[in-house]
Amino acid sequence: MAAKLTPYAFVLAVPDLEKSAAYFRDVLGFSLSWTEAPDWRLAERDGVRLMIGHCPDDKRAAEIGSHSWFGYVEVDDVGALRSEFTARGGNCSPPKDQPYGMREIIVTTPDGHRLVFGQDLNKAANRH
């Protein structure tokens, strides 16, 4: 029998731990834990987890081009999520329908990390 994998978390290296954790909490609506740890924060929302690590001497995500993409999360209403994020100052692209059947937004953090949120267009059509 093969070993079973269980999703846990994306891992991000950031130069300013408190600033980055606050963005995930205040703008993207994640809750924070591990607040007593000196170099880590755990951000969680609806089962999505991000381990945010303090790495002040590493290259910024904005400097690493395509390597700044770190995750894809499927959502049930990408328009509502974008409205929520932008109302709190989030940097989000407009929704874009992709040829592979997803409507997506790209969220860029102040550090330059990029995360895609996508909604299945077939599921969206069936909701209305």
Side-chain angles (χ1 to χ4, degrees):
M1 179 186 291
K4 181 181 177 188
L5 300 178
T6 302
Y8 188 72
F10 298 107
V11 180
L12 301 177
V14 301
D16 184 330
L17 181 61
E18 296 309 323
K19 178 181 174 185
S20 297
Y23 181 84
F24 281 96
R25 181 191 61 221
D26 300 339
V27 176
L28 303 184
F30 283 71
S31 62
L32 297 178
S33 56
W34 299 358
T35 55
E36 300 303 317
D39 293 323
W40 289 97
R41 296 293 175 271
L42 179 65
E44 298 179 272
R45 178 173 174 173
D46 298 328
V48 175
R49 296 176 178 162
L50 300 120
M51 294 170 61
I52 305 168
H54 186 225
C55 301
D57 300 324
D58 287 355
K59 283 189 177 185
R60 305 294 194 263
E63 299 172 18
I64 58 174
S66 294
H67 294 281
S68 67
W69 296 98
F70 75 89
Y72 193 103
V73 177
E74 189 169 347
V75 299
D76 64 353
D77 190 337
V78 79
L81 190 66
R82 182 178 189 276
S83 294
E84 174 191 331
F85 291 166
T86 57
R88 293 193 297 247
N91 180 359
C92 302
S93 68
K96 181 177 179 184
D97 291 351
Q98 300 293 350
Y100 42 85
M102 298 296 285
R103 176 172 293 134
E104 298 173 344
I105 60 170
I106 301 164
V107 174
T108 304
T109 71
D111 299 312
H113 290 104
R114 295 181 287 177
L115 175 62
V116 179
F117 292 89
Q119 176 182 2
D120 186 313
L121 289 169
N122 292 323
K123 291 179 183 175
N126 293 331
R127 286 181 32 179
H128 300 290

